[in-house]
Amino acid sequence: MIAFAPAAVFLLFLAIGVLRDRRRLGNAVLLGLVLAALGLGAAVWLRRSDAPLTDEALLVLVLVPVVALGLLPLFLIANGVEMVRKEGRGLGNLLSLLAGIGLLCLELFLGIGLATGSHTLGRISALLVAPVGYLGFLFFCFVSYAFAYGRIRPRRKVDFVVVLGSGLIGGDRVPPLLAGRLERGRRLYLAAEARGAEPLLVTSGGQGPDEKLPEADAMADHLVERGVPAERIIREDRSRTTLETLENSRALMAERRPDYRCVVVTSNYHAFRAAVFARRAGVNGQVVGAPTAAYYWPSATIREFVAVLYAHWLVNLLLCALVTVLAAVGGWWR
């Protein structure tokens, strides 16, 4: 079982990281390393085992990710077409389509290089695959941990339920995406109240240039129409970004109850990035996600991943350059 020792080590560090704070971005990388080490350990164990059907099992272990990677561009392109058809041609809606086209072009280029046996194409492929592989591994880490984080249940008793805003329709109406967040927040508020707490709801979001009123006001009105007492709602109406929203909400909560506990509600694809920002803002609470339409998830998740990369752009740029240089050196000496 020595083949699984690296996975056990990474798992230990992951457990420590989760116990320290579930919202740490490093936990995502550790989870990715655990899963990768498990796969590699299983392959080594199968290769050395003399049990029946080990060769077939090893073949399946190798083919599954290969086939998945081969089909991924087609899935992204199909999803991108649906996204554009339903949501329009904004850059954020084009992300899955662009990613699918890019991956398909890369796979075709690699296929031509392998078919022709060209050393020049092989070296160029190494330069392309290295940064794409690095970003692909980070994306795998991000998605895996975001999925795991989304399974975490909120605390039973909380003092505040914070709902993060989004854009308004026509400048004054709550869109379906935001309505889903508000409904999840309302249910958490009622659940906390049923357990004997006296929670407050915080609606967060300032007024955009194309909006007639702050998002927090439209959100509060939406909740009041659905039975939430107006006096149980706090409006944070000055923020423009997720980080500002969390910082301003933390100040409002700490002012009323210095030892508060809260739960933050957003859309499921946004939950982990919001959790990372909540940790940075010093918010004492976890983040939960409201359901989102399945077709919306791929592009939205890619957008969240890009935002996380940008927030740590320097370290990712240096590491991406390092793996590219190493791949170039390896390709040259080959």
Side-chain angles (χ1 to χ4, degrees):
M1 289 299 171
I2 191 67
F4 296 100
V9 173
F10 290 133
L11 183 60
L12 175 62
F13 282 111
L14 174 61
I16 294 173
V18 171
L19 289 174
R20 289 178 62 189
D21 196 327
R22 300 171 184 171
R23 304 169 297 177
R24 296 171 62 90
L25 188 59
N27 293 340
V29 177
L30 287 171
L31 178 60
L33 290 172
V34 169
L35 296 175
L38 279 175
L40 182 60
V44 172
W45 179 78
L46 287 170
R47 186 70 181 85
R48 295 177 177 176
S49 174
D50 56 358
L53 301 179
T54 53
D55 290 340
E56 291 79 359
L58 182 59
L59 181 63
V60 171
L61 185 65
V62 173
L63 282 181
V64 167
V66 171
V67 172
L69 287 174
L71 295 178
L72 180 60
L74 301 180
F75 166 76
L76 290 174
I77 291 172
N79 174 258
V81 171
E82 183 179 13
M83 187 73 176
V84 170
R85 183 171 60 85
K86 292 184 176 181
E87 300 290 337
R89 298 181 181 179
L91 180 59
N93 299 333
L94 291 171
L95 288 178
S96 60
L97 179 62
L98 295 175
I101 293 174
L103 287 176
L104 183 61
C105 291
L106 177 61
E107 290 181 0
L108 290 175
F109 185 84
L110 294 177
I112 293 173
L114 291 173
T116 60
S118 170
H119 292 292
T120 301
L121 290 180
R123 291 169 181 169
I124 296 175
S125 297
L127 290 176
L128 293 174
V129 170
V132 172
Y134 170 76
L135 294 175
F137 175 71
L138 287 185
F139 185 71
F140 170 73
C141 296
F142 179 81
V143 171
S144 300
Y145 192 75
F147 177 81
Y149 184 85
R151 309 279 80 75
I152 297 174
R153 293 181 179 274
R155 289 174 173 173
R156 293 186 174 184
K157 286 191 177 182
V158 294
D159 303 304
F160 297 91
V161 177
V162 182
V163 184
L164 303 186
S166 68
L168 303 176
I169 296 177
D172 59 358
R173 289 181 290 114
V174 170
L177 183 74
L178 184 53
R181 298 182 186 182
L182 290 167
E183 179 59 22
R184 182 74 191 275
R186 187 183 72 87
R187 291 183 180 181
L188 288 171
Y189 163 84
L190 293 175
E193 195 175 47
R195 295 186 180 98
E198 296 181 356
L200 296 173
L201 264 161
V202 181
T203 56
S204 294
Q207 183 174 351
D210 59 344
E211 294 175 335
K212 301 175 184 178
L213 74 166
E215 294 166 10
D217 290 345
M219 295 163 67
D221 294 342
H222 182 92
L223 289 170
V224 170
E225 290 174 0
R226 282 151 184 80
V228 179
E231 63 272 14
R232 306 302 298 172
I233 300 175
I234 303 172
R235 308 183 186 205
E236 186 289 296
D237 57 5
R238 295 182 293 109
S239 60
R240 297 295 181 87
T241 66
T242 299
L243 185 58
E244 283 185 4
T245 293
L246 292 165
E247 290 173 340
N248 295 342
S249 297
R250 177 190 57 77
L252 290 173
M253 292 185 290
E255 179 183 352
R256 287 163 174 78
R257 299 178 187 177
D259 58 344
Y260 75 90
R261 293 186 303 176
C262 76
V263 61
V264 180
V265 182
T266 185
S267 300
N268 53 10
Y269 65 83
H270 185 237
F272 180 49
R273 182 164 74 94
V276 172
F277 283 169
R279 179 174 179 267
R280 183 185 301 181
V283 174
N284 183 23
Q286 299 296 331
V287 182
V288 300
T292 308
Y295 76 87
Y296 195 85
W297 188 87
S299 282
T301 301
I302 295 173
R303 185 171 66 246
E304 295 296 302
F305 175 66
V306 171
V308 170
L309 285 180
Y310 180 75
H312 303 83
W313 67 271
L314 182 57
V315 63
N316 284 304
L317 180 63
L318 292 175
L319 289 174
C320 195
L322 176 62
V323 298
T324 303
V325 169
L326 293 175
V329 172
W332 175 264
W333 285 106
R334 181 182 177 188

